[in-house]
């Protein structure tokens, strides 16, 4: 609900506010249309009367009805109602017999009396009730008539004639003139006769045109220029002719009708010649004078853009975007065109930037200079879409064409023809013979927009016999304010704008092939590579038809080896020659459907590459393993039917405001009620996701169903409308085809339906939290003894594997509050709580413990849940309320809560001297005695609130021993409330309850290199190494550093500074780091962490003082804290984005202990932050040579918490900057749209890292391996279609095209491995380190141009896990991804620090400003984040 204050509209009309109040205008427009919508026939936006005039009767059962269309328009004179006439033909409302008699003259029917028509007499004027009054006099404006220009044409003798256009008709005659470039037409090379039946088939037309072209080419010296087609009549096959000739044959055609051709009319042939000459690249007419405002050397490009939408009934066909532009100057009369399909009824031109960029390239090829100025005319957009044109299309254009050396001035004008403004002459004698406004009339005052640039231009004469007779309709031109570009923030922190990626590229040559063809010409792959057919990047050539996507990168660039739909990297091919062959290959979509949720639509997407072999073979040992994958059997002949569900409250009969939404927790209750009451539904044959989807094994009735809920059925009582719509039939045979390899794409809709079926049984019988299901009861051994217990559960998913479909189920533990009576919960939860008598004395603690929790009441029969708002101020015996008679017969009666419970529920309140629980909401009180309230099951208790002992106990339960986890998983698979229930059996789905057996291979650890000649052999079982007696490979000296001691005033955790300094410097010395005494030792308190400003002043003073004491800038600040503090993020924000000095924090209790291992860990981080290297692989990385210069890139996105709907997501990209060690990284971080997993500026960020690598190594990386974290299987297409293409478009040019491998690393999966023989495992009972996929990281190779095989890639990833800088053991996640995760989290810390430091005073979009995340220039290329 919203209140629309008309004062805002007044402020807008007076220019006080810049934004248009569209909601107010919409509401007022609807008010103005309310009256005619009731008493007139409404067709779209037009209104027609219920009767017709005698003179408008067509006498064949049809008559013309005169109506109108109206709209409200803000003008410089105020708000105006714009109303225009309209005429539409309707069938007359006659009796059927009369209609037939009039419509069919020979019909002899029986006379029937006409029903008397109801006359509408209504004096109600809705608009007046809203205070809207209309001045019924038209607005007077002054129009200015602009004179026509002089034109240049040719003359019969070959000279140029000047033609003056007639002032009144604004037209000129070609009788005495020729076109500027005259036409010399020879005899046709061939004349072929055929029947109109050739238009009935595309194939027939194609064969005919091909034979004509071949015969003509044999007779002529050059290729055929044009085919003139004379038709007997208009035919729907005309579109076949154009499609074949312009997309397949490559010859322009000119069609005409024989009836006109036989007449030999001069005007007809003149029009025919105009078209032929223009199609052949000629020029018909030009302006004598130069275009206003421009000079001859300006080289202006005029761009026109429009989108053609399908009719509303054809809901699956795409919209068609078209962009044209002139390719000559200063004549500006020859145009090139680009056309492209896009999402159904999408007005935004998705490929606008790339299409315009391609037209600019064409202009450059033909004129040897790029256009210096650009004027865009955009058609088809309403005022409500101006922001879209400015912020998206204009932005897309600038990103596509701008670079450091090319930034043409751009003007954007919107042209609107579909408006209702009409001009009428006050003195009809001032018009032509038609009485219309003179051509060239311009109106730019009074009725135009209050302050937006806007004009009306009437450019043509409307004849009385033509369209629009008797009225003047001007084109409406409105340029959106391009000044908005002035304040746009930079595209990326620390990055040049995206358009700079084009800045250093060589000019594109004429007729250059698309980018994906250029990739095929890369230098041959180095020796010792697997054959091409074994390469993971290899795919057989194919040319699938183009697809339509909702979001597309600017100019799609496709990965090497992949044939995919055009365009690439520019969406439309350049014009091949001066012959001006129209390139509309992109319109080959007549037989294609848009992508949908069905699996049929996925075949044209770029698919992840196939494995080149059957798995690796290299191992030092093999072991037998059990995997928590349980084989799933299904009947491929079965079909699952998908339905869409919509649930809304039924309209109220007592005119109370209706609630628009239904709580998610109530949806399943409503479904269960409907399916249990209506015999047409079998609940055991369906699966419901609790929101919008139902999957059924049988057909269900569709439509709207009313469901009535009582108060005791677990949801809010009332009536609901449950709407079921059919969506799709999912044939399981396609899943079988995919599993056996005959279908290339994953049928995700089928897997989604089957996954929901498998979850139906536990979702109805267990506690659902996210994707996990927990038992409603806890085991005694899992009691945490403070009103909280740990509950066992599981999470499951279906996984396609090489052995078939498998159910993957893993063990999980979560803490919940016990579903106890409130008093019992408080007694155990609060320390020293003595029971109900302590409620009043410990009111604050009780309120804090209970507020927000859900309870159910037990004094009456109900399943409804209530949320605790707090304790009442008064005790139960003092609570009174007004009891309202539901029948309305008696006045409200004041009654006590005690008496009400006795009379109404026959319950005595025992604890009358304690407060009640307030369970009301929305300012409605609902007081319930505390003794009648019980906590609802399934209320999570944050593990962060557990004390240290309980937290450790929970950790032990979560990280169960392998044999315990395995046993628990087996029990859960077979449990009655597990995945194998009656519902899945009714769908024909069965599960083998035995785990899958696999063979595991143990990969040997690499040898590591440390300082001097030291090399380290990693422990074979623990896979760890010791730094005792060893030094770092590249130990950096610490000459200038400061110690900040924040422990002042804490007598228990005071830093023992001298001992700490001696221990730290000694440990550094042992590891090869020469660490001088600190230049400065400042002692302060933890209070400094309370403010960003305090910390910034402190650090700035420390840096300035240390700089005075030393010759160079401070290298490091060691900060010793008494405890972890929220101000830690303030420290990192200040030091890394403003001061430019790395910091190393530590806690004083640990620093005072001086343990060797702790100090060594500090040294590991300090050395890396200063640019050093701790340890490296002793040998080269697998698959690569020393001269390969490989860059490893890691990428991740950090999303805000689930309850946060405003903060940005944080994208992070890291890349190696050294080779062959590949263990030092640079990082880039930037904010992006909320919860957007796609990295918006991935290409730009990677380009900056590539340039950094080149600057540090004097050579660009020759090969790139990208590791991407945080994406699910369903987002693989996004990575391939968008991020990978964005990367290639950003870094590729004619001379630099490194092969790229793209790998996804997944940590959040449920696959677990268990050894069959415990002797094969380590001391913990887990498989030994080095099992491929043993650790919870799953790697998917989506794209591979570096031609790995399984063994080489597995060994590469495993060896890299030993290079993680801050520990002396391998990590379970490959370092590029690990570091990207750390950087993304650091960016999240920056965002939180920024928002907390402003204390709500900052604008809401402050955290989206990329400049606030920019690293200090001294730190952006070092590993500050470890």
């Amino acid at each position: 609900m919203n209140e629309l204050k008309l004062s805002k509209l007044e402020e807008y009309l007076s220019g006080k506010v810049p934004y248009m109040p569209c909601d107010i205008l919409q509401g007022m427009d609807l008010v103005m249309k309310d009256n005619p919508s009731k008493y007139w026939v409404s067709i779209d936006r037009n209104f027609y009367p219920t009767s017709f005039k005698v003179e408008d009767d067509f006498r064949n059962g049809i008559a013309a009805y005169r109506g109108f269309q109206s709209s409200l328009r803000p003008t410089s004179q105020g708000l105006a109602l714009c109303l225009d006439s309209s005429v539409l033909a309707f069938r007359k409302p006659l009796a059927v017999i009369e209609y037939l008699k009039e419509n069919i003259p020979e019909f002899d029917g029986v006379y029937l009396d006409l029903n008397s028509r109801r006359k509408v007499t209504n004096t109600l004027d809705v608009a007046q009730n809203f205070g809207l009054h209309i001045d019924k006099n038209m607005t007077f404006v002054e129009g200015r008539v602009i004179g026509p220009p002089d034109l240049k044409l040719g003359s019969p003798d070959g000279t140029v004639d000047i033609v003056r256009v007639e002032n009144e008709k604004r037209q000129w005659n070609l009788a005495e003139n020729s076109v500027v470039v005259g036409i010399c037409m020879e005899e046709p090379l061939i004349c072929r006769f055929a029947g109109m039946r050739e238009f009935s088939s595309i194939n027939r037309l194609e064969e005919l045109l091909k034979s004509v072209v071949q015969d003509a080419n044999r007779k002529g010296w050059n290729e055929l220029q044009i085919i003139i087609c004379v038709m007997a009549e208009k035919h729907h096959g005309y579109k076949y002719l154009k499609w074949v000739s312009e997309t397949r044959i490559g010859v322009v055609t000119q069609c005409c009708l024989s009836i006109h051709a036989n007449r030999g009319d001069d005007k007809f042939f003149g029009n025919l010649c105009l078209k032929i000459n223009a199609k052949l690249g000629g020029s018909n007419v030009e302006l004598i004078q130069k275009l206003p405002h421009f000079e001859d050397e300006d080289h202006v490009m005029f761009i026109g853009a429009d989108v053609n939408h399908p009719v509303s009934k054809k809901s699956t066909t795409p919209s068609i975007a078209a962009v044209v532009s002139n390719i000559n100057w200063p004549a500006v009369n020859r145009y090139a065109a680009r056309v492209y399909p896009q999402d159904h009824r999408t007005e935004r031109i998705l490929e606008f930037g790339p299409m315009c960029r391609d037209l600019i390239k064409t202009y450059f090829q033909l004129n040897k200079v790029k256009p210096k100025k650009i004027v865009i005319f955009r058609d088809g957009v309403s005022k409500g879409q101006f922001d879209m044109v400015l912020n998206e299309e204009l932005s897309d254009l600038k990103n596509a064409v701008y670079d450091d050396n090319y930034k043409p001035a751009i003007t954007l004008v919107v042209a609107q023809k579909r408006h209702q403004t009409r001009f009428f002459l006050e003195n009809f004698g001032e018009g032509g013979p038609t009485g219309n406004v003179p051509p060239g009339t311009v109106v730019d005052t009074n009725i135009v927009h209050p302050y937006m640039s806007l004009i009306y231009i009437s450019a043509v004469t409307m004849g009385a016999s033509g369209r629009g007779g008797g009225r003047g309709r001007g084109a409406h031109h409105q340029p959106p304010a391009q000044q908005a570009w002035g304040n746009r923030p930079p595209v990326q922190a620390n990055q040049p704008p995206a358009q700079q990626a084009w800045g250093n590229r060589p000019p594109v040559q004429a007729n250059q092939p698309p980018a994906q063809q250029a990739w095929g010409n890369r230098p041959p792959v180095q020796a010792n590579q697997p054959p091409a057919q074994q390469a993971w990047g290899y795919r057989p050539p194919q040319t699938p038809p183009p697809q339509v996507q909702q979001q597309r990168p600017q100019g799609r660039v496709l990965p090497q080896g992949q044939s995919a739909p055009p365009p690439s990297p520019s969406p439309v091919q350049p014009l091949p020659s001066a012959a001006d062959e129209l390139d509309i290959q992109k319109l080959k979509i007549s037989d294609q459907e848009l992508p949908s949720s069905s699996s049929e639509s996925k075949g044209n997407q770029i698919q992840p590459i196939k494995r080149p072999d059957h798995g690796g073979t290299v191992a030092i040992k093999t072991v037998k393993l059990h995997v928590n994958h349980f084989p799933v059997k299904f009947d491929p002949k079965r079909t699952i039917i998908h339905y869409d569900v919509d649930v809304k409250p039924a309209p109220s009969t007592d005119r109370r405001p209706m609630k628009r939404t239904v709580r998610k927790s109530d949806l399943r209750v409503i479904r269960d009620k409907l399916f249990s009451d209506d015999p047409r539904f079998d609940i055991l044959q369906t699966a419901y996701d609790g929101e919008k989807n139902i999957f059924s094994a049988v057909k269900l009735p569709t439509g709207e169903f009313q469901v009535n809920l009582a108060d005791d059925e677990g949801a809010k009582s009332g009536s609901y409308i449950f709407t079921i719509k059919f969506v799709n039939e999912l044939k399981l045979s396609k899943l079988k085809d995919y599993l056996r390899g005959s279908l290339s794409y994953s049928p995700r809709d089928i897997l989604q339906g089957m996954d929901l079926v498998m979850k139906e049984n536990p979702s109805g019988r267990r506690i659902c939290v996210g994707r996990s299901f927990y038992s409603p009861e806890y085991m005694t051994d899992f009691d945490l003894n403070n009103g909280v217990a740990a509950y066992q559960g599981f999470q499951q998913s279906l996984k396609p594997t090489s052995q078939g479909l498998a159910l993957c189920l893993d063990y999980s533990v979560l803490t919940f509050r016990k579903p106890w009576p409130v008093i019992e919960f408080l007694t155990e939860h609060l320390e020293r709580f003595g029971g109900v008598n302590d409620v009043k004395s410990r009111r604050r603690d009780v309120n804090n413990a209970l507020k927000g929790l859900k309870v159910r009441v037990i004094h009456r029969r109900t399943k409804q849940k209530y949320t605790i708002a707090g304790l009442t101020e008064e005790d139960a015996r003092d609570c009174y309320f007004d009891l309202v008679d539901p029948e309305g017969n008696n006045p409200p009666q004041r009654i006590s809560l005690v008496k009400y419970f006795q009379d109404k529920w026959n319950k005595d309140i025992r604890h009358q001297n304690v407060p009640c629980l307030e369970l009301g909401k929305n300012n409605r009180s609902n007081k319930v005695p505390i003794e009648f309230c019980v906590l609802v099951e399934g209320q999570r208790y944050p593990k962060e609130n557990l004390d240290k002992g309980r937290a450790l106990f929970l950790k032990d339960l979560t990280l169960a021993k392998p044999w315990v986890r395995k046993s628990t998983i087996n029990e859960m698979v077979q449990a009655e409330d597990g995945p194998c229930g009656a519902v899945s059996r009714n769908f024909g789905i069965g599960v083998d309850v035995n785990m899958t057996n696999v063979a595991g291979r143990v990969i040997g650890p690499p040898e590591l290199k440390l300082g001097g000649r030291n090399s380290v052999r990693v422990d074979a079982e623990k896979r760890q190494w010791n730094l005792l007696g060893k030094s770092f490979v590249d130990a950096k000296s610490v000459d200038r550093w400061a110690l900040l001691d924040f422990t002042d005033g804490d007598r228990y955790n005071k830093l023992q500074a001298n001992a700490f300094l001696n221990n730290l410097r000694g440990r550094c010395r042992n590891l090869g780091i020469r660490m001088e005494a600190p230049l400065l030792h400042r002692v302060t308190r933890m209070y400094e962490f309370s403010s960003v400003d305090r910390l910034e002043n402190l650090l700035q003073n420390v840096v300035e003082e240390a700089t005075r004491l030393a010759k160079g800038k401070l290298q490091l600040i060691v900060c010793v804290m008494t405890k972890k503090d929220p101000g830690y993020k303030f420290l990192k924000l200040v030091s890394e984005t403003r001061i430019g000095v790395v910091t190393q924090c530590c806690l004083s209790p640990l620093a005072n202990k001086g343990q060797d291992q702790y100090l060594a860990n500090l040294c590991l981080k300090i050395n890396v932050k200063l640019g050093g290297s701790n340890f490296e692989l002793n040998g080269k990385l697998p698959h690569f040579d020393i001269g390969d210069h490989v860059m490893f890139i890691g990428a991740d996105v950090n999303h805000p918490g689930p309850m946060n709907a405003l903060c940005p997501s944080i994208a992070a990209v890291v890349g190696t900057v050294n080779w062959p060690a590949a263990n030092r990284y640079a990082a880039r971080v930037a904010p992006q749209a909320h919860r957007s997993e796609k990295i918006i500026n991935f290409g730009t960020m990677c380009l900056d890292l590539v340039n950094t690598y080149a600057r540090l190594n004097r050579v660009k990386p020759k090969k790139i391996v990208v590791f991407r974290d945080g994406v699910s299987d369903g987002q693989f297409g996004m990575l391939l279609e968008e991020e990978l293409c964005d990367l290639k478009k950003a870094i590729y040019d004619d001379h630099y095209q490194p092969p790229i491998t793209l790998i996804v690393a997944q940590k959040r999966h449920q696959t677990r491995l268990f050894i069959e023989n415990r002797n094969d495992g380590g001391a913990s009972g887990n498989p030994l380190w080095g099992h491929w996929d043993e650790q919870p990281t799953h790697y998917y190779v989506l794209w591979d141009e570096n031609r790995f095989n399984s063994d080489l890639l597995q060994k590469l990833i495993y060896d890299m896990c030993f290079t993680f800088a801050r520990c002396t053991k391998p990590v379970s996640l490959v370092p590029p991804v690990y570091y990207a995760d750390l950087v993304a989290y650091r960016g999240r810390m920056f965002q939180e620090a920024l928002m907390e430091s402003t204390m709500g005073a900052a604008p809401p979009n402050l955290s989206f400003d990329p400049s606030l995340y920019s690293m200090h220039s001294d730190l952006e290329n070092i590993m500050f984040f470890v």
Side-chain angles (χ1 to χ4, degrees), residues 189-205:
L189 293 173
I190 186 172
C191 183
R192 179 73 60 85
F193 297 93
M196 287 295 292
R197 64 180 181 274
E198 300 292 335
F199 283 90
S200 62
S201 165
I202 290 179
N203 293 333
R204 294 175 68 96
L205 270 175

Short mmCIF file of all heavy atoms in Angstrom, two decimals, residues 189-205:
data_model
loop_
_atom_site.label_atom_id
_atom_site.label_comp_id
_atom_site.label_asym_id
_atom_site.label_seq_id
_atom_site.Cartn_x
_atom_site.Cartn_y
_atom_site.Cartn_z
N LEU A 189 20.58 -10.73 -67.84
CA LEU A 189 21.35 -11.89 -68.29
C LEU A 189 20.47 -13.11 -68.50
O LEU A 189 20.76 -13.98 -69.30
CB LEU A 189 22.44 -12.22 -67.25
CG LEU A 189 23.55 -11.20 -67.09
CD1 LEU A 189 24.45 -11.58 -65.91
CD2 LEU A 189 24.39 -11.11 -68.36
N ILE A 190 19.41 -13.16 -67.73
CA ILE A 190 18.53 -14.32 -67.82
C ILE A 190 17.12 -13.90 -67.45
O ILE A 190 16.92 -13.02 -66.61
CB ILE A 190 19.02 -15.45 -66.89
CG1 ILE A 190 18.20 -16.71 -67.09
CG2 ILE A 190 18.97 -15.03 -65.43
CD1 ILE A 190 18.77 -17.92 -66.34
N CYS A 191 16.14 -14.50 -68.11
CA CYS A 191 14.73 -14.26 -67.81
C CYS A 191 14.09 -15.63 -67.57
O CYS A 191 14.02 -16.46 -68.50
CB CYS A 191 14.04 -13.53 -68.97
SG CYS A 191 12.32 -13.11 -68.63
N ARG A 192 13.65 -15.88 -66.37
CA ARG A 192 13.12 -17.18 -65.99
C ARG A 192 11.65 -17.04 -65.64
O ARG A 192 11.26 -16.13 -64.90
CB ARG A 192 13.90 -17.73 -64.79
CG ARG A 192 13.46 -19.07 -64.26
CD ARG A 192 13.87 -20.20 -65.19
NE ARG A 192 15.30 -20.27 -65.38
CZ ARG A 192 16.15 -20.89 -64.56
NH1 ARG A 192 15.68 -21.51 -63.48
NH2 ARG A 192 17.45 -20.93 -64.81
N PHE A 193 10.81 -17.97 -66.15
CA PHE A 193 9.38 -17.96 -65.85
C PHE A 193 9.08 -19.09 -64.86
O PHE A 193 9.60 -20.20 -64.98
CB PHE A 193 8.56 -18.15 -67.13
CG PHE A 193 8.74 -17.03 -68.11
CD1 PHE A 193 9.70 -17.12 -69.11
CD2 PHE A 193 7.97 -15.88 -68.03
CE1 PHE A 193 9.88 -16.09 -70.02
CE2 PHE A 193 8.14 -14.86 -68.92
CZ PHE A 193 9.10 -14.95 -69.93
N ALA A 194 8.24 -18.78 -63.87
CA ALA A 194 7.84 -19.78 -62.88
C ALA A 194 6.47 -19.39 -62.34
O ALA A 194 6.00 -18.27 -62.53
CB ALA A 194 8.85 -19.87 -61.74
N GLY A 195 5.85 -20.35 -61.69
CA GLY A 195 4.54 -20.10 -61.11
C GLY A 195 4.65 -19.61 -59.67
O GLY A 195 5.68 -19.75 -59.02
N MET A 196 3.55 -19.05 -59.14
CA MET A 196 3.53 -18.55 -57.77
C MET A 196 3.67 -19.69 -56.76
O MET A 196 3.94 -19.44 -55.58
CB MET A 196 2.23 -17.78 -57.50
CG MET A 196 2.17 -16.41 -58.18
SD MET A 196 3.41 -15.26 -57.54
CE MET A 196 2.81 -15.00 -55.88
N ARG A 197 3.48 -20.93 -57.22
CA ARG A 197 3.63 -22.05 -56.29
C ARG A 197 5.05 -22.15 -55.76
O ARG A 197 5.29 -22.80 -54.72
CB ARG A 197 3.23 -23.35 -56.96
CG ARG A 197 4.13 -23.75 -58.13
CD ARG A 197 3.68 -25.04 -58.75
NE ARG A 197 4.54 -25.45 -59.86
CZ ARG A 197 4.40 -25.03 -61.11
NH1 ARG A 197 3.39 -24.19 -61.40
NH2 ARG A 197 5.22 -25.42 -62.06
N GLU A 198 6.01 -21.51 -56.41
CA GLU A 198 7.39 -21.54 -55.92
C GLU A 198 7.52 -20.87 -54.55
O GLU A 198 8.44 -21.16 -53.80
CB GLU A 198 8.33 -20.85 -56.92
CG GLU A 198 8.36 -21.46 -58.31
CD GLU A 198 8.98 -22.83 -58.33
OE1 GLU A 198 9.79 -23.14 -57.42
OE2 GLU A 198 8.66 -23.60 -59.24
N PHE A 199 6.56 -19.97 -54.25
CA PHE A 199 6.60 -19.28 -52.96
C PHE A 199 6.08 -20.13 -51.81
O PHE A 199 6.12 -19.72 -50.65
CB PHE A 199 5.78 -17.97 -53.02
CG PHE A 199 6.46 -16.86 -53.74
CD1 PHE A 199 6.30 -16.69 -55.11
CD2 PHE A 199 7.28 -15.97 -53.06
CE1 PHE A 199 6.94 -15.66 -55.76
CE2 PHE A 199 7.91 -14.93 -53.71
CZ PHE A 199 7.75 -14.78 -55.08
N SER A 200 5.62 -21.31 -52.10
CA SER A 200 5.02 -22.14 -51.05
C SER A 200 6.06 -22.83 -50.19
O SER A 200 5.73 -23.36 -49.14
CB SER A 200 4.10 -23.19 -51.68
OG SER A 200 4.84 -24.06 -52.53
N SER A 201 7.32 -22.84 -50.62
CA SER A 201 8.34 -23.59 -49.88
C SER A 201 9.67 -22.87 -49.94
O SER A 201 10.06 -22.33 -50.98
CB SER A 201 8.47 -24.99 -50.48
OG SER A 201 9.65 -25.63 -50.04
N ILE A 202 10.37 -22.86 -48.83
CA ILE A 202 11.71 -22.27 -48.78
C ILE A 202 12.65 -23.05 -49.69
O ILE A 202 13.45 -22.46 -50.43
CB ILE A 202 12.23 -22.25 -47.33
CG1 ILE A 202 11.46 -21.23 -46.51
CG2 ILE A 202 13.72 -21.93 -47.29
CD1 ILE A 202 11.90 -21.15 -45.06
N ASN A 203 12.58 -24.36 -49.66
CA ASN A 203 13.49 -25.18 -50.45
C ASN A 203 13.28 -24.96 -51.95
O ASN A 203 14.25 -24.89 -52.71
CB ASN A 203 13.30 -26.65 -50.11
CG ASN A 203 13.74 -26.98 -48.70
OD1 ASN A 203 14.60 -26.30 -48.14
ND2 ASN A 203 13.14 -27.99 -48.09
N ARG A 204 12.03 -24.83 -52.35
CA ARG A 204 11.76 -24.58 -53.78
C ARG A 204 12.36 -23.24 -54.21
O ARG A 204 12.98 -23.14 -55.27
CB ARG A 204 10.25 -24.59 -54.04
CG ARG A 204 9.58 -25.95 -53.83
CD ARG A 204 8.07 -25.82 -54.00
NE ARG A 204 7.70 -25.52 -55.36
CZ ARG A 204 7.33 -26.43 -56.26
NH1 ARG A 204 7.27 -27.70 -55.90
NH2 ARG A 204 7.00 -26.08 -57.49
N LEU A 205 12.14 -22.22 -53.37
CA LEU A 205 12.68 -20.91 -53.71
C LEU A 205 14.21 -20.93 -53.74
O LEU A 205 14.83 -20.32 -54.61
CB LEU A 205 12.20 -19.87 -52.71
CG LEU A 205 10.89 -19.16 -53.03
CD1 LEU A 205 10.49 -18.26 -51.88
CD2 LEU A 205 11.02 -18.35 -54.31
#
